Amino acid sequence: METVEQKVAREVLQQPEDIKIGDKTYKFYPPSTATLILASEAISQLPQVKLDENKLAEDSLYAAKDCRKLGEIIAIFLLGAKHLTETVKAPQTKRKRLFWGLLPFRRTVEVEQVIDRKAELAQKLLEDLTPRELNTLASQLLMRMQLADFFGLTTFLIEINLLRQTKVEETTAFGQ
């Protein structure tokens, strides 16, 4: 069991937490503002569906076709904005024939490849987790996302924007 002091130290030092999904363990870092923004963008792409209580199963199944974003949202939460893609260098052999095809020539060069970790993890989450497990994981991650702090920051900045004077009206007296 983790003490309050240990939790506070982990948050202050922004130490990652281990989260196991299937046979793989992922490092969950405290969220950056960029992570919250990317997650918000993905959430905004979920279908806007109002479920009828009398046709809950039918409406849920109908909306499910548009919910692939669920895996992407949780992948963004887990990986964070900095770890969504990875650039790796891989050796690649290029073959040529010189002197009218008489002499084979091989050369190995390193080629950079960008691996989309978000897409890989999103697919794995959707394929390997049950809806209940996905829901539980999303709930756990949301509790750790520091949403209250983000909400406080955005609300504060919106209020500043609303209070800022945007238009100056001049009043003049008659004849002056």
Side-chain angles (χ1 to χ4, degrees):
M1 187 86 172
E2 193 174 37
T3 66
V4 173
E5 291 82 5
Q6 289 171 324
K7 288 180 185 178
V8 170
R10 187 182 67 240
E11 290 297 322
V12 169
L13 298 173
Q14 294 195 338
Q15 294 174 332
E17 222 175 301
D18 289 343
I19 295 185
K20 188 167 181 154
I21 298 173
D23 59 344
K24 193 166 181 184
T25 302
Y26 294 89
K27 296 279 187 195
F28 175 73
Y29 292 88
S32 67
T33 304
T35 300
L36 294 174
I37 291 168
L38 288 171
S40 176
E41 287 175 353
I43 290 168
S44 73
Q45 295 173 12
L46 285 172
Q48 302 293 318
V49 178
K50 186 172 183 184
L51 301 177
D52 182 3
E53 290 180 20
N54 299 325
K55 301 187 308 179
L56 196 57
E58 294 92 347
D59 287 353
S60 294
L61 289 173
Y62 180 76
K65 67 180 175 17
D66 300 320
C67 292
R68 280 196 176 94
K69 285 284 177 189
L70 291 173
E72 184 179 324
I73 293 164
I74 295 172
I76 291 169
F77 285 161
L78 269 174
L79 298 172
K82 290 182 181 178
H83 306 286
L84 296 178
T85 59
E86 181 181 353
T87 304
V88 295
K89 292 184 179 183
Q92 186 177 39
T93 303
K94 295 191 175 197
R95 299 169 195 251
K96 283 186 177 181
R97 291 201 165 264
L98 302 175
F99 303 113
W100 304 281
L102 298 174
L103 183 63
F105 177 72
R106 281 189 292 186
R107 184 176 73 180
T108 303
V109 295
E110 284 196 356
V111 178
E112 282 190 0
Q113 294 177 321
V114 177
I115 299 171
D116 189 354
R117 297 286 182 216
K118 178 181 71 173
E120 287 178 357
L121 181 56
Q123 190 68 28
K124 182 174 179 55
L125 289 168
L126 293 175
E127 289 175 354
D128 294 349
L129 297 182
T130 66
R132 176 172 286 150
E133 291 169 332
L134 202 60
N135 183 29
T136 302
L137 178 61
S139 299
Q140 289 173 348
L141 295 174
L142 281 170
M143 286 190 288
R144 299 175 181 152
M145 292 300 288
Q146 303 172 7
L147 293 175
D149 294 326
F150 184 71
F151 177 74
L153 172 64
T154 56
T155 303
F156 171 73
L157 293 174
I158 288 169
E159 288 297 321
I160 287 175
N161 192 35
L162 291 176
L163 296 175
R164 184 183 64 185
Q165 187 175 359
T166 56
K167 183 178 177 184
V168 177
E169 291 185 22
E170 291 183 29
T171 56
T172 58
F174 293 109
Q176 291 182 356

